[in-house]
Amino acid sequence: MSVTVAIPTTLERPTVRSTVESALAAAAYDPHAEVLVMVNGTPPSPDPLAHLGSPQVRVLHLPRRSAPGARNAALETACHDTVLFTDDDCRLPATWCTDLATALHLPAEVAVAAPVRAEGPGPLLAYMNYQRLFDAPPDGAGGAAYVVTANCGVRRDRLPHRMRFDDTHFNNAAEDADFGLRLRAAGHSLRWLARSAPVTHRLSGAIVEISDRWLRYGRAHVRLHTRKRHPGTALGGVRRWYAAMCQDTARVHRCFSELADPVLREAFTAYDLILGASFLIGYLEELGSEWGRPLITVDHDKLTAGWDRVARWQEALVSATPDGPPPEVRPDYHRFGIAAGEWLPVPEWYTSLLQTYASPLPDGDGDTGGNSNGNGTSDGNANGDGTAYARDLAAFLRSPHPAPPGPTAEELHRAWTACPGGAPRNADEADRALRGAGACMREGGRVLEAYLPARPLLGSRT
């Protein structure tokens, strides 16, 4: 089956040429395959794609800078109905086109998603790969909840009529999540290709770059609820959740007690807290903007400088260990949740930075300039009922933060202990076990860590 590989780009990233070259290598099995490069916005000079010398490359120029708009243009102009998407900072494995195209050739398959890993130096990227932060989350039935455009494919001829990426409400994050959620709402499952070779994001490993991504993800996540009404995407109780983190009363963060190296445990915990806060800060900022009332005050420059200091310190500690920064994490899974005292409160450096540079604003109950319509959006009616609006807003923000939908701790525990030897042997096996139970490393690990101290695994050691 011939494919079109679609790569939106502004040609600004230094990785774009090697991304196109890896796409050509992956598509080399079929002379009819094409690599469609959608240049959106004003391209730089000189052209980084000059002299590629392949007739399979087709470059189209779009005047407006918009990644989702570029993907829509690719769906309209692709030569083939099997369209595979990736980003311009990715490296594609040699089997990528055949893996995705083979799955999409099956009857009734509309979209597929596959693993994504970070490529680069340092323990921060090791943490991101361990937590599977770029993978599409599971849907609870063996598939994916949505697609991630770094590694996904669709059958254009099987999409619902005029199903396209939303480039009105999204531009640089969450348009792929929205696309996948709408596909599932239309009755289509999204197949997860767990054993497909992963696409790799080439990242710097700097906390400044990664925390900025998570800020954008948090802002875009709000629009999934307020603009698109996707059930389950609203974070009820988000203000109470964030306030607990600021006040050192949160006790539900990951401490990675399954890792045998205490230095690595500390580093991963720090990264997890930083990215979690970045997401919530972005979420609260965007939610306040949507409702017309600020919910948080943030000094981004000073907060980012604080994150950077912490990350550099953690990297120095990991680098000083005999083996240096881990290229991959080799946990001792029998330690998961076993060691006493590893379920720690939020560290002091964390609460200090949040209280100083990212504080939630007082509730207040005055005129807010808009009215809640009960769905987390302002309805724009100027009836002056600011008190009712503030009451609705406060009820949403102060509500108990709900547990994420998915399996119970017992189900996750059964999946975990069903692995050979009573525990997974590596991170891939752990992720497959948790996904099979409807969760993934980034959420299933947190649930298990809280659950297992009371139910130690067979063969566990203290």
Side-chain angles (χ1 to χ4, degrees), residues 213-234:
R213 275 181 181 263
W214 259 249
L215 276 169
R216 290 190 284 110
Y217 293 165
R219 292 180 182 125
H221 194 91
V222 169
R223 296 182 208 125
L224 292 174
H225 170 57
T226 61
R227 304 289 183 90
K228 303 307 292 286
R229 304 291 195 272
H230 290 300
T233 58

Side-chain angles (χ1 to χ4, degrees), residues 108-411:
E109 292 291 357
V110 175
V112 297
V116 181
R117 300 288 176 265
E119 176 185 326
L124 174 57
L125 298 186
Y127 153 80
M128 296 177 72
N129 286 333
Y130 182 70
Q131 286 287 79
R132 302 302 195 252
L133 292 185
F134 284 122
D135 281 359
D139 64 357
Y146 51 75
V147 297
V148 174
T149 46
N151 191 1
C152 72
V154 301
R155 281 289 298 268
R156 178 179 60 182
D157 54 330
R158 296 174 181 170
L159 289 175
H161 181 62
R162 301 305 303 166
M163 174 73 77
R164 294 294 184 264
F165 293 92
D166 183 344
D167 68 341
T168 300
H169 300 118
F170 307 98
N171 191 20
N172 60 359
E175 68 272 11
D176 46 5
D178 168 65
F179 182 85
L181 291 170
R182 284 188 286 125
L183 270 179
R184 292 185 62 222
H188 299 284
S189 61
L190 309 178
R191 188 175 176 189
W192 173 249
L193 306 180
R195 297 186 183 275
S196 177
V199 161
T200 54
H201 260 310
R202 284 168 286 184
L203 304 172
S204 70
I207 195 68
V208 174
E209 175 192 0
I210 306 304
S211 63
D212 182 66
R213 275 181 181 263
W214 259 249
L215 276 169
R216 290 190 284 110
Y217 293 165
R219 292 180 182 125
H221 194 91
V222 169
R223 296 182 208 125
L224 292 174
H225 170 57
T226 61
R227 304 289 183 90
K228 303 307 292 286
R229 304 291 195 272
H230 290 300
T233 58
L235 299 181
V238 62
R239 192 171 195 168
R240 173 175 287 181
W241 182 15
Y242 185 76
M245 292 163 58
C246 291
Q247 297 164 11
D248 189 21
T249 58
R251 295 290 188 277
V252 294
H253 64 281
R254 282 275 266 140
C255 293
F256 298 90
S257 57
E258 74 275 21
L259 300 181
D261 184 347
V263 174
L264 202 58
R265 285 202 300 270
E266 180 184 334
F268 278 26
T269 300
Y271 302 145
D272 202 60
L273 289 168
I274 290 171
L275 296 196
S278 297
F279 183 92
L280 289 178
I281 289 167
Y283 190 97
L284 286 167
E285 284 188 316
E286 185 69 17
L287 188 61
S289 177
E290 289 279 307
W291 263 326
R293 178 186 176 195
L295 302 177
I296 188 172
T297 176
V298 187
D299 187 328
H300 284 286
D301 290 340
K302 291 182 179 178
L303 182 62
T304 300
W307 295 153
D308 188 57
R309 287 193 301 273
V310 172
R312 288 177 184 275
W313 171 251
Q314 297 297 341
E315 185 172 353
L317 290 177
V318 173
S319 299
T321 59
D323 296 329
E328 60 180 292
V329 179
R330 297 180 178 87
D332 176 0
Y333 285 98
H334 288 302
R335 291 178 59 88
F336 209 133
I338 300 305
E342 301 228 1
W343 196 245
L344 303 176
V346 172
E348 184 178 352
W349 61 261
Y350 188 67
T351 55
S352 176
L353 285 171
L354 294 184
Q355 290 170 2
T356 305
Y357 302 125
S359 299
L361 292 172
D363 287 347
D365 58 2
D367 189 5
T368 61
N371 301 295
S372 169
N373 62 16
N375 291 308
T377 61
S378 174
D379 63 15
N381 294 331
N383 61 14
D385 190 8
T387 302
Y389 165 76
R391 185 174 59 247
D392 292 344
L393 173 64
F396 181 79
L397 294 173
R398 293 172 178 166
S399 61
H401 184 65
T408 64
E410 290 83 357
E411 289 171 327

